[in-house]
Amino acid sequence: MHLGSTKKFFLFQNWKPDLSDYMIKDFIISVPKGAVVTLGGVNLPSEYLQEEENGSARYVIPQI
């Protein structure tokens, strides 16, 4: 948690969670087959493509 720059109701401190120390493992994105997938403005390479079936593709990102 870190202290925000503003106060609520001019009285209470405004605390916000700090998520920079957290990571997500095995993040899965399912999209239509042939779709271009971007994460944070970067195209995902085919090395993350795990399955293609029934007209859909599944990307697995090991860690975010």
Side-chain angles (χ1 to χ4, degrees):
M1 299 289 285
H2 64 86
L3 186 59
S5 61
T6 60
K7 290 186 176 184
K8 288 198 178 241
F9 308 112
F10 302 105
L11 183 63
F12 301 104
Q13 296 291 339
N14 188 20
W15 290 90
K16 296 183 178 185
D18 181 9
L19 303 176
S20 62
D21 293 332
Y22 293 94
M23 78 175 85
I24 300 170
K25 292 185 177 184
D26 297 326
F27 182 70
I28 298 171
I29 300 173
S30 296
V31 296
K33 189 175 183 177
V36 176
V37 180
T38 60
L39 183 62
V42 178
N43 288 353
L44 287 182
S46 60
E47 67 188 62
Y48 296 121
L49 181 60
Q50 194 172 66
E51 295 178 3
E52 281 188 308
E53 59 183 38
N54 299 331
S56 66
R58 180 177 169 190
Y59 289 82
V60 179
I61 295 104
Q63 185 174 336
I64 295 179

